[in-house]
Amino acid sequence: GESVGLHLPTLSVQEGDNSIINCAYSNSASDYFIWYKQESGKGPQFIIDIRSNMDKRQGQRVTVLLNKTVKHLSLQIAATQPGDSAVYFCAENRSEGSQGNLIFGKGTKLSVKP
Amino acid sequence: DAGVTQSPTHLIKTRGQHVTLRCSPISGHKSVSWYQQVLGQGPQFIFQYYEKEERGRGNFPDRFSARQFPNYSSELNVNALLLGDSALYLCASSPGGVRGETQYFGPGTRLLVL
């Protein structure tokens, strides 16, 4: 079964460096992927999404890469800032089932050192 | 523009009681989804509603129920509360309730069951 996950994977970076957060998804039928940022005491905030017919998408300071062969997703944050400190979740939307059925990963805690 | 709003922000209940949580979606959004987030884990899907109809249900017991009103706001009800129901309950809205739409989350209601 799943582990409880009380200890999130943590990534610690220096302010100004680039960050890369990785995520492995489980279902090859998933066709839509989203990255969310969650600050302490707040709800998840949409960052960027990508569909399975793409392998890269760029936003403002963020890039998402999708490798369907190995079912891997990554979020790259350029010039990381203290305000980027948060827990980052990837979520997948499977091609079967309802639209609301987002499956979230366990999350990665990003800490930015000034 | 107002985002997704939820009430109350915090709630303390005792085992066996019931609770009602409320959500107002972003103006113009017709779909509402509910998620449970236990400390240290990613959100887990509970329900999705679109145009007052249940569109999807996650792996939660029948103690959990929900409904959507004509103005697209929604309530999540939990009966016979257990200690394990302590969590952050998140509501997310999207415009048309179709796959591949971005879901926007509210700040959540933090429920503590004693």
Side-chain angles (χ1 to χ4, degrees), chain B residues 3-17:
Chain B
V4 176
T5 59
Q6 293 186 244
S7 63
T9 55
H10 295 82
L11 204 52
I12 300 175
K13 292 284 188 178
T14 56
R15 282 179 296 174
Q17 287 188 311

Side-chain angles (χ1 to χ4, degrees), chain B residues 5-112:
Chain B
T5 59
Q6 293 186 244
S7 63
T9 55
H10 295 82
L11 204 52
I12 300 175
K13 292 284 188 178
T14 56
R15 282 179 296 174
Q17 287 188 311
H18 73 273
V19 67
T20 299
L21 310 180
R22 296 177 176 83
C23 170
S24 291
I26 292 171
S27 178
H29 285 195
K30 298 181 178 180
S31 178
V32 168
S33 295
W34 287 95
Y35 292 81
Q36 180 196 65
Q37 186 176 25
V38 175
L39 189 65
Q41 298 186 26
Q44 274 199 293
F45 172 69
I46 310 175
F47 286 111
Q48 186 205 7
Y49 275 77
Y50 176 71
E51 291 278 14
K52 297 178 289 179
E53 298 288 327
E54 181 183 302
R55 179 166 280 190
R57 172 187 284 256
N59 188 23
F60 280 81
D62 292 343
R63 299 184 295 108
F64 289 76
S65 63
R67 55 180 176 166
Q68 187 177 31
F69 299 98
N71 67 352
Y72 305 111
S73 67
S74 178
E75 283 182 355
L76 175 71
N77 295 283
V78 187
N79 293 324
L81 285 166
L82 303 174
L83 296 179
D85 295 330
S86 296
L88 181 67
Y89 288 85
L90 295 161
C91 173
S93 77
S94 63
V98 298
R99 269 188 332 101
E101 274 184 348
T102 302
Q103 294 186 38
Y104 296 92
F105 284 84
T109 294
R110 187 161 296 282
L111 172 65
L112 177 61

Side-chain angles (χ1 to χ4, degrees), chain A residues 2-6 8 31-32 34 36 38 41-44 46 49 51 89 93-102 104-106, chain B residues 31 33 35 37 39-45 48 55-58 88 90 94 97-108 110:
Chain A
E2 277 192 8
S3 63
V4 174
L6 289 176
L8 292 171
D31 60 358
Y32 177 59
I34 314 100
Y36 285 95
Q38 188 172 27
K42 297 184 179 180
F46 172 83
D49 58 3
R51 301 182 193 282
F89 291 98
N93 194 187
R94 297 178 179 174
S95 59
E96 74 276 6
S98 75
Q99 176 260 349
N101 198 31
L102 284 179
F104 281 80
K106 293 192 188 299
Chain B
S31 178
S33 295
Y35 292 81
Q37 186 176 25
L39 189 65
Q41 298 186 26
Q44 274 199 293
F45 172 69
Q48 186 205 7
R55 179 166 280 190
R57 172 187 284 256
L88 181 67
L90 295 161
S94 63
V98 298
R99 269 188 332 101
E101 274 184 348
T102 302
Q103 294 186 38
Y104 296 92
F105 284 84
R110 187 161 296 282

